[in-house]
Amino acid sequence: MSTVAFSPPLSDGRVTVADVPSPALAALDAVGLPYRVIRHGPVRSLAEAAAARGVAVPDVVKTIVVRRGPDDHLFVLTPGDRVISWPRLRALLGVNRLSMPDAAAARDATGYERGTITPFGATTAWPVVADERLRGREITLGAGEHGVAVALDADAAITTLGATVADVTDPESTR
């Protein structure tokens, strides 16, 4: 079962994660984007994350770090039940090659561990591509710490991030 609650604010009104100011929450606060913090225990799968957050699997948004070249990354936001369509993403970006960095390189590029990555409060404001299926819904995103997510309006997040919206995913294979 999930617990939906804000941490006690710091004296200056900022919300914290594990009593440490969260870069993700600070970034959301800085842009005035309304959100709700969801705290839940450890999860081992996207389906478990959805159940813990009390949402459908497509509303658990995966923030994927994609590498275009040396020190050149971007974030791709995908619904939980979909995966990146590499041919469509390469065509959108006008490149022939993309890759996913390993966990250490993703942390270096974002400041977040895998499973907690969000474009909000990342150490570098990389460009964002959002799959078009995110529009018109409330989504949940990682909040920079395992077991903590934020729920927010996808359209407002897309606008705030200046994201490029396109059809860049395929259904998750059930093989």
Side-chain angles (χ1 to χ4, degrees):
M1 174 169 237
S2 65
T3 305
V4 179
F6 289 96
S7 298
L10 298 173
S11 60
D12 63 2
R14 290 178 294 150
V15 178
T16 65
V17 175
D19 298 324
V20 175
S22 162
L25 301 182
L28 288 163
D29 290 340
V31 296
L33 193 59
Y35 62 92
R36 178 171 45 91
V37 174
I38 304 169
R39 296 178 183 284
H40 54 78
V43 295
R44 294 182 304 254
S45 69
L46 208 103
E48 282 185 21
R53 295 175 187 183
V55 301
V57 170
D59 297 327
V60 176
V61 173
K62 298 179 284 188
T63 302
I64 310 296
V65 179
V66 175
R67 182 179 180 271
R68 285 190 281 201
D71 201 31
D72 183 14
H73 298 81
L74 64 133
F75 294 108
V76 180
L77 304 180
T78 68
D81 61 343
R82 298 187 68 87
V83 296
I84 292 173
S85 167
W86 294 102
R88 278 185 261 160
L89 184 59
R90 285 192 304 269
L92 175 72
L93 299 172
V95 298
N96 292 324
R97 184 179 167 149
L98 294 168
S99 63
M100 289 179 51
D102 65 21
R107 181 176 174 80
D108 289 346
T110 67
Y112 295 120
E113 289 181 30
R114 276 204 183 143
T116 71
I117 296 173
T118 175
F120 293 103
T123 52
T124 301
W126 301 112
V128 177
V129 174
D131 186 72
E132 64 186 13
R133 289 158 192 84
L134 298 179
R135 289 184 180 154
R137 51 193 329 150
E138 182 180 75
I139 58 171
T140 63
L141 288 170
E145 181 179 304
H146 293 286
V148 182
V150 292
L152 62 152
D153 179 76
D155 294 327
I158 288 167
T159 299
T160 299
L161 293 166
T164 299
V165 178
D167 178 7
V168 292
T169 65
D170 289 321
E172 180 98 44
S173 174
T174 55
R175 294 185 230 170

